[in-house]
Amino acid sequence: MPSVKVLEEKKAQVAALKEKFDGAVAGVVVDYKGITVADDTKLRKELREAGVEYSVAKNTLIRLAIDGTALAAMDDVLNGTTAVATSKDDYVAAARILAKYAEKNDNFKIKAGFLDGELISLEKVDSLAKLPSKEQLLATVCMAFQAPMASFARVIQAIVDKDGEAAPAEAATEEAAPAAEEAAE
């Protein structure tokens, strides 16, 4: 029978996992078997820079953490080596980074994903992975707002340029009119 100290540590791990799942807007569960230490280090760095928390956990502890939640349906994929990537504010970062990595590494597999505490299919995880990043989406929106304003500015500038060309011609016509009147007299 495990000691009291070991049980307390496991309870703390389960509580931390539960908090991680509850505080995440999105997450991906992967099988990391066959990944090298160097590749794992690069992957962790990329995830950390994107604001994604990535950790390896025992399947039993994950089961205890998701017990009684909508994520309990994930129980059937909790076998073998398991790592969990969660994000508190970005819905696509974990899916995008891990799917890209899984394409390059045959042993690395995505097991499951979730959004807002609800389990999603692997197809939806793949769809999330293909979405552009938050920064790219914001840039697209800004360009969409900027385009009409830029067109309006070009039209106004064309009017100003046209009036600028017409003004010297009008001045020349006004100067020529008195000269024509004097010649007629």
Side-chain angles (χ1 to χ4, degrees):
M1 179 156 169
S3 70
V4 173
K5 181 180 178 184
V6 171
L7 285 175
E8 291 301 318
E9 287 174 4
K10 289 188 180 200
K11 284 180 183 178
Q13 290 173 347
V14 168
L17 280 169
K18 186 165 182 55
E19 185 177 317
K20 184 186 292 192
F21 284 120
D22 290 344
V25 295
V28 179
V29 178
V30 298
D31 181 353
Y32 64 91
K33 178 179 49 187
I35 187 172
T36 65
V37 173
D39 287 343
D40 186 52
T41 302
K42 282 191 248 179
L43 178 63
R44 286 176 184 265
K45 181 179 186 271
E46 188 175 355
L47 289 165
R48 193 172 36 254
E49 288 172 352
V52 177
E53 191 175 332
Y54 180 81
S55 61
V56 173
K58 290 187 176 190
N59 293 320
T60 306
L61 299 180
I62 295 173
R63 278 188 189 96
L64 292 170
I66 63 174
D67 188 38
T69 68
L71 297 178
M74 188 170 43
D75 186 47
D76 59 335
V77 299
L78 295 176
N79 49 41
T81 56
T82 304
V84 178
T86 57
S87 177
K88 292 182 180 182
D89 57 357
D90 192 340
Y91 285 89
V92 299
R96 186 178 60 251
I97 294 168
L98 294 172
K100 181 177 74 172
Y101 189 81
E103 285 178 8
K104 296 177 186 174
N105 299 287
D106 294 334
N107 293 335
F108 193 86
K109 303 276 189 246
I110 295 178
K111 293 181 175 185
F114 62 92
L115 286 176
D116 292 326
E118 298 291 325
L119 199 61
I120 59 172
S121 67
L122 292 178
E123 291 80 24
K124 285 187 182 179
V125 174
D126 191 45
S127 296
L128 279 176
K130 292 176 182 172
L131 287 175
S133 69
K134 183 178 179 180
E135 291 78 20
Q136 291 169 328
L137 287 173
L138 288 173
T140 303
V141 169
C142 287
M143 291 300 290
F145 283 133
Q146 184 181 5
M149 289 186 283
S151 296
F152 179 71
R154 283 192 292 274
V155 168
I156 297 299
Q157 187 62 45
I159 292 170
V160 168
D161 291 346
K162 183 178 177 185
D163 286 345
E165 292 172 5
E170 289 174 9
T173 306
E174 289 173 6
E175 290 175 7
E181 288 176 14
E182 288 177 11
E185 291 177 1

